[in-house]
Amino acid sequence: VLRLKDPLADSRRIPVSVRAYGEDRMHRLGINRDIVLPVEAIDGTMGHSIVTASLSGALAEALGLDEAFQKDIFEGAFYHDVGRKNVPEHLLNQDDTVTSLPEQDQRMIRVHVEAAPLVLSTMGIHLAPEALLAIESHHERFDGSGYPKALSGEAIPMGGRLIRVASEYDHLTSPRQFRDGWEPTAAIVEMKTSADRGILDPKIVAA
């Protein structure tokens, strides 16, 4: 089983300040980190939610965004993948990229961003509009080639852009069922390349 240890305790890839930020927000907001484990366990992404939330919030703080926004983005980032609960398990637990799958399978995976509010409601979780907007937009790309609305540039909500960058870093540096995790320095170089290609917000990557 992958990543049974506290992912925030991995100082090789998670700065101490980010760990402190995440632990403080989890405590203050009263979030139970185990609530997302059933979704993460399906495809071996254990800890992805807490790491993405901690990085997103820390990035928002570094960019000078206010405390209320940081709270909303932290919560949105923590729950950003809950919609995957409605995606067939066989589509989550495989090593292909989304774009390499048949169009019908791609649509079934992509619907997870729009399914999130319903899944959260069934879990008894109610988020602020800013948090829900961040969840909905976290697969948009800076050049407009993302989904679900093909938004581009600053038309993409800031929360969605933050989560996209934070999620990408965790995805690259974490071990997965089909590969080892990247070294943090290599991951950052790759993310800068992604920013140059129009996938990630270059200002957030530079932060």
Side-chain angles (χ1 to χ4, degrees):
V1 178
L2 294 177
R3 300 176 67 186
L4 293 178
K5 296 181 179 179
D6 180 359
L8 292 181
D10 184 357
S11 59
R12 179 186 64 85
R13 66 189 193 93
I14 307 297
V16 173
S17 60
V18 172
R19 177 184 183 180
Y21 182 100
E23 291 176 343
D24 174 69
R25 294 313 189 276
M26 291 293 286
H27 175 72
R28 282 204 275 161
L29 297 174
I31 298 174
N32 176 7
R33 68 168 65 187
D34 293 341
I35 199 169
V36 295
L37 287 182
V39 176
E40 294 181 335
I42 294 172
D43 56 358
T45 59
M46 309 294 286
H48 178 64
S49 298
I50 180 61
V51 171
T52 300
S54 300
L55 288 168
S56 296
L59 282 168
E61 182 179 56
L63 291 169
L65 301 173
D66 64 47
E67 183 64 33
F69 183 86
Q70 291 178 46
K71 171 186 176 296
D72 290 344
I73 295 321
F74 187 91
E75 291 185 310
F78 184 78
Y79 295 111
H80 75 282
D81 271 343
V82 295
R84 290 161 70 89
K85 187 176 181 181
N86 285 6
V87 177
E89 185 173 329
H90 73 278
L91 293 179
L92 297 177
N93 195 16
Q94 46 80 38
D95 62 341
D96 294 322
T97 60
V98 172
T99 54
S100 69
L101 298 173
E103 182 61 32
Q104 181 178 357
D105 288 348
Q106 291 185 42
R107 287 197 298 269
M108 294 178 73
I109 292 176
R110 288 172 173 169
V111 77
H112 81 274
V113 295
E114 296 163 319
L118 178 60
V119 173
L120 287 166
S121 179
T122 62
M123 296 167 70
I125 296 169
H126 305 285
L127 300 183
E130 191 70 49
L132 293 173
L133 197 59
I135 293 173
E136 180 186 277
S137 59
H138 79 272
H139 277 291
E140 300 288 359
R141 292 185 170 195
F142 208 65
D143 64 1
S145 64
Y147 65 89
K149 296 181 179 179
L151 301 176
S152 64
E154 295 189 359
I156 304 170
M158 173 61 83
R161 286 181 273 152
L162 285 164
I163 294 174
R164 176 93 196 198
V165 169
S167 178
E168 182 70 6
Y169 177 81
D170 183 59
H171 174 74
L172 289 172
T173 60
S174 300
R176 293 292 185 254
Q177 292 177 337
F178 302 97
R179 63 160 176 80
D180 294 330
W182 291 35
E183 287 298 318
T185 51
I188 291 171
V189 170
E190 176 66 15
M191 291 169 67
K192 289 179 178 178
T193 300
S194 292
D196 291 340
R197 291 168 52 206
I199 298 173
L200 304 176
D201 183 336
K203 291 182 180 178
I204 294 176
V205 172

